[in-house]
Amino acid sequence: MSKDEFQRHLSVSRETIDRLDKYEALITKWNPKINLVASSTLEDIWVRHFLDSAQLASFAPNSGMWLDLGSGGGFPALVIASMISDTHPEVSFTLVESDTRKAVFLRTVIRELELNAKVLSERIEKIPAQNANVLSARALDTLEKLVGYAKIHLNQDGTAFFPKGSSHKNELEQARETWSFDVKTIPSITDPTAAIFSIKDIQRAK
């Protein structure tokens, strides 16, 4: 059972598991209508989506704003918010999702799970600079495009986290043609071919 595997990897509170149980139920209820995740991944949601998102929770700041772009079904932001809402109450989450129906779903999850989060139902290109402490995006766009968004929306000391699949090395090379930045490559705990890029100090490449 994928929930057991989630708990083997992470030691989380009973309250966190309760919140994620509610989250799973909401996804299962809404998914047939608005396709939040591939239906083939629903049975493995605790690893494919929850654990894959949860591995970013350890990077949460003590306070400030975490901006999540193209949030879709809420990954990784709402999983992280569920995990740290008791330990990091001064961290707020802003989720950007242009699909109106998905934005309604995200607001429903936030309300039901009592999370410190809000949703901007706008295209990323149209929102004002957010001055975020942390920025994330999962399965949204090329790394080159994502670094460009991070340049706009991170504060001076902020960090972006981008989970990427097996082509992550190629994406990094392409992004470096446009951007200069400090990067750490963190192995994914859910996929040996995947990685998470931790990126900061972004500038245009000269």
Side-chain angles (χ1 to χ4, degrees), residues 61 63-69 91-96 127-136 149-161 199-200 202:
S63 62
M65 192 256 277
W66 185 309
L67 179 68
D68 188 60
L69 302 178
V91 176
S92 64
F93 288 79
T94 298
L95 287 70
V96 182
I127 63 171
Q130 295 293 302
N131 196 39
N133 300 79
V134 178
L135 182 146
S136 60
Y149 293 143
K151 172 64 174 169
I152 295 168
H153 295 294
L154 279 175
N155 66 29
Q156 188 174 358
D157 300 317
T159 306
F161 294 98
I199 290 175
K200 60 192 309 179
I202 302 164

Side-chain angles (χ1 to χ4, degrees), residues 16 19-20 23 27 49-58 60-61 65-85 88 91-97 105-107 109-110 113-120 134-139 161 163:
T16 293
R19 280 190 285 267
L20 293 177
Y23 193 3
I27 291 171
H49 300 295
F50 288 179
L51 182 59
D52 195 55
S53 298
Q55 60 185 325
L56 296 177
S58 62
M65 192 256 277
W66 185 309
L67 179 68
D68 188 60
L69 302 178
S71 299
F75 310 120
L78 295 188
V79 173
I80 298 166
S82 297
M83 294 176 66
I84 71 168
S85 63
H88 296 62
V91 176
S92 64
F93 288 79
T94 298
L95 287 70
V96 182
E97 175 51 58
F105 167 78
L106 294 171
R107 291 185 180 109
V109 176
I110 289 166
L113 275 54
E114 300 180 346
L115 302 175
N116 184 11
K118 67 178 182 179
V119 180
L120 300 179
V134 178
L135 182 146
S136 60
R138 180 178 182 257
F161 294 98

